Amino acid sequence: MNCERELGVSTHAPAPWQVEQCQSEIDLEKNTVLGACYDLTGKTAPRRIIQACTEALDHDVLEVPQRSFLFVGRADAYFALGDKQRALDDYNAAIKMAHLLPANERFLLYTPRADEYFALGDKSRALDDYNVAIQSAPHNAALYYNRGLVFIAQGIDGAALQDFDTALELNSKFVPALRRRAKIYAARGNLAGALADYSQAIQLQPKTAALWSDRGQVDLGRQEYGSAMEDESRAIQLDSKLASAYYLRSVALADSGDRAKAVTNLRTAVSLDPSLTTYVKIKGKTVVLELPPPL
């Protein structure tokens, strides 16, 4: 870096303001290099990121600890392109430098690799990496939420519930954790708990159709058909293509005795998502609509 070289050849000690100015220039250059290796805007092409990261790595622009973030940025780009092996190689290269970073920054390296392992279906390794990440950043709600998803994938709902509880203790407005906890509550028969979580989530994100539909399904479980129809209707207003909302509204209408409207809603639901026929049971001339599990 030019500023460092200029100070290095000086025959006398630089003035404090010169040191401060140079450090600012150095920090700016480092941030520029790192910024080029991440899709900060959501619009940067992965191949452009790969090129920027590779050039920075080839020219040793950053010190060894910070080079780990270049590997992570390039790994993210490879993964976006579907090149999973190269992505994993780069994540592994970054992890090898993890011990050189401050303990509270190491989660930045372990979390992306955990995400890839989870995407690849390697739940055991994903769990190991999330465990390390949480040790690095024990007050990061998102890490507990992500680990909770791994526990759900492993069928360990109790551990998942504990992680969602912790995530919400750290951030009571974490809507994804509220929704996931509500689903576990509903599956376990704790309909009051599920209703409370969905209601809080709706207050935080009132324009999210799926939340209204989820709460409507809990209403059905409580045999509150009027409330169920209101919630499912609200969901349909927000998203007219939400098949599950039409199906659940058809269940509420059928159980309320309005068969004609129930059939109309069921037909719409099945036209949008044919898989919903799984929950339609026909016995002779009787049609029974079953509730799907909380999704």
Side-chain angles (χ1 to χ4, degrees):
M1 297 179 181
N2 293 334
C3 190
E4 288 180 312
R5 285 195 292 270
E6 288 173 7
L7 291 179
V9 300
S10 177
T11 58
H12 57 276
W17 67 267
Q18 290 178 304
V19 174
E20 183 177 350
Q21 180 179 349
C22 282
Q23 187 59 53
S24 296
E25 292 178 11
I26 292 168
D27 291 342
L28 177 61
E29 186 172 350
K30 289 179 179 178
N31 291 334
T32 300
V33 171
L34 288 170
C37 290
Y38 287 88
D39 188 9
L40 301 176
T41 64
K43 300 178 182 179
T44 308
R47 295 191 186 282
R48 182 177 177 183
I49 292 174
I50 291 170
Q51 180 181 358
C53 294
T54 301
E55 289 177 355
L57 287 166
D58 289 346
H59 292 88
D60 292 330
V61 175
L62 301 180
E63 295 87 348
V64 172
Q66 291 177 315
R67 284 168 61 84
S68 61
F69 296 114
L70 298 178
F71 280 112
V72 169
R74 190 170 69 178
D76 290 345
Y78 277 135
F79 193 75
L81 291 174
D83 195 337
K84 298 174 182 178
Q85 187 55 57
R86 283 187 178 178
L88 189 56
D89 289 344
D90 272 357
Y91 287 134
N92 290 338
I95 294 293
K96 289 180 180 179
M97 303 178 192
H99 67 286
L100 300 173
L101 290 173
N104 63 351
E105 293 183 10
R106 293 172 190 170
F107 78 97
L108 296 170
L109 306 184
Y110 281 94
T111 302
R113 190 174 72 171
D115 293 342
E116 175 168 357
Y117 278 141
F118 189 44
L120 294 175
D122 194 337
K123 296 182 282 292
S124 178
R125 287 181 176 172
L127 185 60
D128 288 341
D129 275 358
Y130 279 130
N131 288 339
V132 177
I134 286 173
Q135 290 176 356
S136 169
H139 301 295
N140 188 317
L143 295 179
Y144 290 96
Y145 172 75
N146 288 347
R147 190 174 69 176
L149 296 181
V150 178
F151 281 132
I152 286 178
Q154 292 181 319
I156 312 174
D157 287 353
L161 187 59
Q162 290 180 358
D163 271 355
F164 297 145
D165 285 344
T166 302
L168 289 165
E169 287 172 6
L170 294 168
N171 180 2
S172 62
K173 297 182 179 180
F174 197 163
V175 170
L178 283 168
R179 189 182 185 199
R180 285 290 180 174
R181 188 171 71 175
K183 290 180 186 296
I184 294 177
Y185 281 158
R188 291 184 166 194
N190 181 2
L191 299 184
L195 187 67
D197 275 359
Y198 282 133
S199 296
Q200 184 178 349
I202 286 171
Q203 286 183 345
L204 294 167
Q205 292 185 5
K207 294 185 179 181
T208 301
L211 293 175
W212 290 91
S213 184
D214 287 344
R215 191 174 72 173
Q217 185 167 354
V218 174
D219 291 330
L220 284 171
R222 299 171 67 240
Q223 298 183 343
E224 296 288 346
Y225 303 123
S227 296
M229 281 187 276
E230 289 177 5
D231 279 352
E232 299 306 336
S233 296
R234 180 59 175 157
I236 290 168
Q237 287 176 356
L238 292 167
D239 182 359
S240 61
K241 302 297 183 181
L242 188 59
S244 62
Y246 289 100
Y247 179 83
L248 293 171
R249 189 166 69 175
S250 73
V251 174
L253 287 164
D255 288 345
S256 298
D258 195 335
R259 301 290 176 174
K261 288 184 178 179
V263 170
T264 299
N265 277 262
L266 180 59
R267 286 175 176 168
T268 302
V270 172
S271 69
L272 291 170
D273 182 1
S275 70
L276 288 171
T277 56
T278 303
Y279 306 106
V280 180
K281 306 300 179 183
I282 300 176
K283 299 178 181 179
K285 296 183 179 180
T286 302
V287 177
V288 178
L289 304 181
E290 297 183 349
L291 282 179
L295 301 177

